Amino acid sequence: MTYDADALAQLEQDAAEILGRYPVKRSALLPLLHLVQSVDGYVSPDGIAFCANQVDLTSAEVSAVATFYTQYKRRPNGEYQVGVCTNTLCAIMGGDEIWRQVSERCGIGHDETTADGKITLERLECNAACDYAPVMMVNWEFFDNMTPDRALRVVDDILEGRDVVPTRGPAKVAPFKEVSRVLAGFEDGRADEDQGLGEPTVVGLKVAREQGWEDAK
Amino acid sequence: MTDLTPVLSATWDAEQSWKLGTYENAGGYGALKKALGMPPADIIQAVKDSGLRGRGGAGFPTGMKWGFLPPDDGKPRYLVVNADESEPGTCKDIPTMLSAPHILVEGVAITSFAIGCNHAFIYLRGEVVHVYRRLLQAVREAYAAGHLGKNIHGSGYDLDVTVHAGAGAYICGEETALLDSLEGRRGQPRLKPPFPAVEGLYARPTVVNNVESISSVPAIIDRGVEWFTSLGTERSKGMGLFSLSGHVERPGQYEAPLGITLRELIDMAGGMRGGKELKFWTPGGSSTPLFTAEHLDTPLDYESVGAAGSMLGTRALQIFDETTCVVRAVTRWTEFYKHESCGKCTPCREGTFWLSQILERLEDGHGTDADIQQLLDTCESILGRAFCALGDGATSCITSSVKLFREEYEQHVSERRCPFDHAASALFEYETSQATEEAHA
Ligand SMILES: Cc1cc2nc3c(=O)[nH]c(=O)nc-3n(C[C@H](O)[C@H](O)[C@H](O)COP(=O)(O)O)c2cc1C
Ligand code: SF4
Ligand code: FES
């Protein structure tokens, strides 16, 4: 293993915390894989060996698990994972066209990374935000009701090093490694950040209030 | 006219709706205190009497499921909340957890107490990081307030809750695949029986329930069985989130008693986009057979939707107007199933591959009339032969769409192209893009 002493000590400390959440060691494997992505930016050979060691599996067994899940990356990932939902509902509402333009602007296709390492592109399956279609996700934060122009602006901002702000979510999108650490179950203190009410989320509630139907309480 | 009944969604527009204080000010965690004073068997009975049925798709009676657990043998038993929400069209659990995570945490505490569980898990899909932040915070706040942890509110009852993030795989929503995934394995379905109630997580008795099912429990305990059964229809009790997406003026979450109709919901949503005609819709996500305008007045409850040939599923109402090519829609869903097939059984793995090959060539005008029959034959060889419900679900949109819109498939063959203008179904003008295309030509 090639982690330096400090990195390894930190990893071991974090891994101990993760293992402490489960009654059976092996359950820690998915969060551990998110954890090594937060250090290496992908599931590296070192990361696999580290996980295997933590949960008493072989590297081959850990690889077999990691390759099953699309969020674990086999190659160094871009700093921003940009996904355009092209499942049916979003595709029809404009997602196909957004994908075409975003892919053209970045000059890459599905599961490819720009030469500067900024963006990895992905055609997403439904991300449970269909009421906000067409939807894009950047490092797993919501960019709702996209148009090609808005999507291109997000991409340009990333390519030119500016922060990007989701429509539902925190004040800005954190880089891939930071977000991977959250997915390993470590809070980053940003849960209270918010972009205000998303209209589709509260539309039914508003209708009920207008009609005086709240008495159902 | 059916009234909307915001219960789960009642606090979503409050200031910092996700915080413990907001939830408690609205009466939150009152139901937990009440439940801790009840014999656990009475809680299970109340949920049985309420008629609550699983909100994750299959509609299995929730209280009955809890009742299937074998008697306590002093060893661990588990509650696992299915927060994997990935069925195309389904978008109700994510706003619930983002806006009001404590309703789920309270439901977890009450359910765990009822079934004698001391360690519960929430398995969240990994692709929603802000939802994970909110859940982690909610659980931390609940521990600090004594709603979780040791000796909850002096009852002597202990509960730990772990919120676990998945890593991208639709099949992990299937309850046994979810358990394998939570055990750190590839998420592939297990052979049933044994059912999770007998051998679930770590081969111990386990209840797996959807986010919305568990979030409905506090209101049942708080307001009572009679209140809950006063909502809904004869055999489909209570309220649920109806998620409208697609070609309506105001898509979004509409919480209503089961049995409301799509006509009523579209009306509340401001009508169809630009006054266009409704063409087809899914009553319960992409795995449920398509409906058309003929079903606008079908009560959206388990029995009526079933009798009309589909399934209530997750109440994911994806609505498409006359501009939409049904072959395009079905092809895309089929590509999804191909992508998400876990590969464990041949009918699904091979079948979804061939289905998408055939559909892709039909969609771009290279198909033949024989291909249409081939689609139906392939569906037949999957249906009932797949190892889990993903395989069956993959055939629903194909068989129903060929039945309803066969001439549209045939038109793709005879005209050797898709007869629809894809730009017409988008929410924005395609103009700029066409200009780019021309510039490139
Ligand atoms: C392919 C597939 C995906 C599923 N995805 C989900 C899901 O994301 N969320 C969910 O609650 N149930 C999902 N289910 C249903 C679960 O297997 C299970 O029935 C449900 O979690 C039980 O909870 P309930 O009784 O409260 O509905 C899925 C089933 C299949 C076959
Ligand atoms: S039906 Fe499909 S998803 Fe289900 S076990 Fe078979 S291959 Fe896997
Ligand atoms: S289809 Fe795009 S979020 Fe559901």
Side-chain angles (χ1 to χ4, degrees):
Chain A
M1 221 180 284
T2 53
Y3 293 113
D4 66 39
D6 285 353
L8 190 59
Q10 181 66 46
L11 270 171
E12 277 172 349
Q13 186 188 326
D14 291 339
E17 184 181 332
I18 292 172
L19 284 157
R21 298 177 201 148
Y22 303 93
V24 172
K25 255 187 188 178
R26 185 167 176 160
S27 281
L29 184 52
L30 266 63
L32 285 171
L33 287 163
H34 284 303
L35 179 70
V36 299
Q37 290 208 126
S38 79
V39 176
D40 293 334
Y42 73 117
V43 175
S44 62
D46 282 353
I48 288 179
F50 175 80
C51 292
N53 191 30
Q54 291 292 322
V55 296
D56 301 333
L57 293 174
T58 65
S59 288
E61 286 168 321
V62 171
S63 286
V65 172
T67 52
F68 187 82
Y69 298 94
T70 54
Q71 278 183 293
Y72 298 130
K73 305 298 174 187
R74 289 182 234 192
R75 293 183 298 273
N77 205 65
E79 200 178 348
Y80 293 87
Q81 174 81 16
V82 174
V84 178
C85 178
T86 54
N87 200 301
T88 300
L89 197 281
C90 281
I92 285 172
M93 304 297 282
D96 276 352
E97 179 60 14
I98 294 172
W99 167 259
R100 194 186 68 74
Q101 295 200 30
V102 163
S103 170
E104 186 180 279
R105 176 69 56 99
C106 296
I108 53 174
H110 171 72
D111 204 19
E112 291 175 1
T113 303
T114 52
D116 62 2
K118 286 273 191 204
I119 290 181
T120 299
L121 270 193
E122 181 179 7
R123 289 171 67 101
L124 286 184
E125 297 301 355
C126 177
N127 221 91
C130 325
D131 48 346
Y132 289 90
V135 172
M136 194 162 98
M137 303 294 293
V138 179
N139 286 349
W140 313 118
E141 309 283 9
F142 292 105
F143 286 70
D144 302 314
N145 298 121
M146 284 287 112
T147 61
D149 287 347
R150 290 184 57 202
L152 291 178
R153 214 171 313 137
V154 172
V155 164
D156 287 345
D157 283 344
I158 295 174
L159 292 174
E160 287 157 26
R162 288 186 292 272
D163 287 342
V164 290
V165 182
T167 48
R168 278 179 298 156
K172 63 170 190 174
V173 177
F176 182 78
K177 288 183 184 176
E178 281 178 35
V179 163
S180 297
R181 185 168 171 84
V182 178
L183 290 176
F186 294 96
E187 290 192 78
D188 63 357
R190 303 178 66 187
D192 288 335
E193 292 179 15
D194 194 53
Q195 299 296 331
L197 291 176
E199 196 58 30
T201 298
V202 291
V203 66
L205 187 54
K206 277 194 177 165
V207 171
R209 294 215 196 291
E210 278 161 23
Q211 300 288 332
W213 287 337
E214 303 170 59
D215 301 337
K217 267 198 224 171
Chain B
M1 178 82 159
T2 311
D3 291 2
L4 295 177
T5 48
V7 177
L8 308 178
S9 60
T11 58
W12 291 1
D13 62 351
E15 183 82 12
Q16 293 208 311
S17 61
W18 58 91
K19 298 289 278 184
L20 176 68
T22 316
Y23 186 65
E24 286 181 336
N25 285 341
Y29 288 101
L32 173 62
K33 288 177 191 150
K34 185 168 169 188
L36 290 171
M38 292 167 71
D42 289 5
I43 302 173
I44 298 179
Q45 193 59 45
V47 173
K48 278 185 186 163
D49 294 343
S50 76
L52 173 66
R53 293 170 62 172
R55 301 295 194 230
F60 193 84
T62 304
M64 196 191 289
K65 184 185 274 187
W66 299 359
F68 285 157
L69 290 184
D72 193 356
D73 61 0
K75 291 197 223 122
R77 48 183 59 211
Y78 298 104
L79 169 66
V80 179
V81 175
N82 190 339
D84 194 55
E85 187 160 78
S86 315
E87 161 91 357
T90 310
C91 49
K92 63 192 181 66
D93 298 337
I94 293 303
T96 302
M97 294 181 286
L98 195 60
S99 306
H102 281 285
I103 201 170
L104 175 62
V105 176
E106 184 178 16
V108 165
I110 297 171
T111 306
S112 300
F113 176 68
I115 65 170
C117 150
N118 300 108
H119 194 165
F121 296 85
I122 300 172
Y123 184 108
L124 174 70
R125 69 179 296 182
E127 302 101 321
V128 285
V129 70
H130 210 54
V131 178
Y132 195 34
R133 290 191 186 97
R134 293 261 163 98
L135 280 173
L136 287 169
Q137 167 165 286
V139 166
R140 175 169 46 75
E141 287 178 323
Y143 269 101
H147 302 312
L148 298 176
K150 294 267 176 256
N151 189 20
I152 298 174
H153 299 303
S155 63
Y157 170 64
D158 303 338
L159 176 64
D160 284 316
V161 175
T162 298
V163 194
H164 178 96
Y170 166 62
I171 189 58
C172 290
E174 195 281 335
E175 57 185 12
T176 60
L178 182 141
L179 294 174
D180 260 34
S181 178
L182 184 52
E183 289 180 3
R185 301 169 197 280
R186 300 163 71 89
Q188 288 183 315
R190 300 176 179 174
L191 190 66
K192 293 191 266 196
F195 287 93
V198 178
E199 272 183 45
L201 187 64
Y202 314 129
R204 293 293 306 159
T206 301
V207 166
V208 183
N209 272 131
N210 171 256
V211 169
E212 193 184 355
S213 313
I214 295 297
S215 300
S216 300
V217 171
I220 293 173
I221 297 304
D222 187 34
R223 302 185 203 186
V225 167
E226 248 171 67
W227 161 78
F228 192 79
T229 55
S230 73
L231 301 173
T233 58
E234 184 63 34
R235 288 172 57 206
S236 299
K237 296 299 183 192
M239 69 293 161
L241 290 161
F242 290 82
S243 310
L244 272 68
S245 61
H247 292 137
V248 291
E249 288 290 344
R250 289 192 294 276
Q253 307 301 318
Y254 294 81
E255 191 175 1
L258 301 187
I260 195 169
T261 65
L262 184 67
R263 189 185 300 282
E264 291 175 298
L265 286 164
I266 290 183
D267 191 44
M268 291 177 199
M272 294 292 293
R273 174 191 71 142
K276 292 220 167 44
E277 290 295 320
L278 169 65
K279 181 173 174 182
F280 62 94
W281 54 291
T282 63
S286 62
S287 304
T288 63
L290 300 179
F291 272 175
T292 61
E294 221 183 283
H295 306 95
L296 272 167
D297 297 308
T298 304
L300 295 172
D301 60 36
Y302 298 101
E303 293 72 32
S304 309
V305 175
S310 190
M311 287 175 283
L312 187 61
T314 51
R315 286 149 284 119
L317 311 168
Q318 304 176 88
I319 297 162
F320 300 94
D321 70 19
E322 56 190 312
T323 64
T324 313
C325 173
V326 78
V327 179
R328 178 183 178 207
V330 169
T331 304
R332 198 57 62 87
W333 278 320
T334 305
E335 288 168 342
F336 165 79
Y337 290 109
K338 179 190 74 171
H339 184 247
E340 301 298 330
S341 167
C342 81
K344 181 165 180 148
C345 69
T346 319
C348 169
R349 186 185 61 238
E350 303 284 314
T352 54
F353 173 80
W354 289 114
L355 287 172
S356 48
Q357 296 275 304
I358 301 168
L359 277 162
E360 280 160 17
R361 63 176 184 259
L362 278 165
E363 195 204 344
D364 42 77
H366 298 102
T368 62
D369 284 325
D371 281 337
I372 304 172
Q373 189 53 44
Q374 187 59 51
L375 276 182
L376 297 177
D377 294 346
T378 309
C379 285
E380 210 170 295
S381 64
I382 300 175
L383 191 67
R385 293 188 177 84
F387 189 80
C388 84
L390 184 145
D392 289 351
T395 69
S396 293
C397 64
I398 300 176
T399 28
S400 61
S401 66
V402 173
K403 200 156 150 205
L404 294 164
F405 300 102
R406 189 170 190 123
E407 68 291 351
E408 203 166 302
Y409 281 88
E410 289 165 353
Q411 209 181 345
H412 281 75
V413 174
S414 60
E415 292 185 20
R416 311 210 124 270
R417 65 183 183 97
C418 175
F420 287 85
D421 171 15
H422 292 184
S425 17
L427 277 190
F428 47 79
E429 302 284 332
Y430 263 37
E431 268 161 19
T432 35
S433 49
Q434 264 150 16
T436 355
E437 259 168 35
E438 276 154 28
H440 281 248

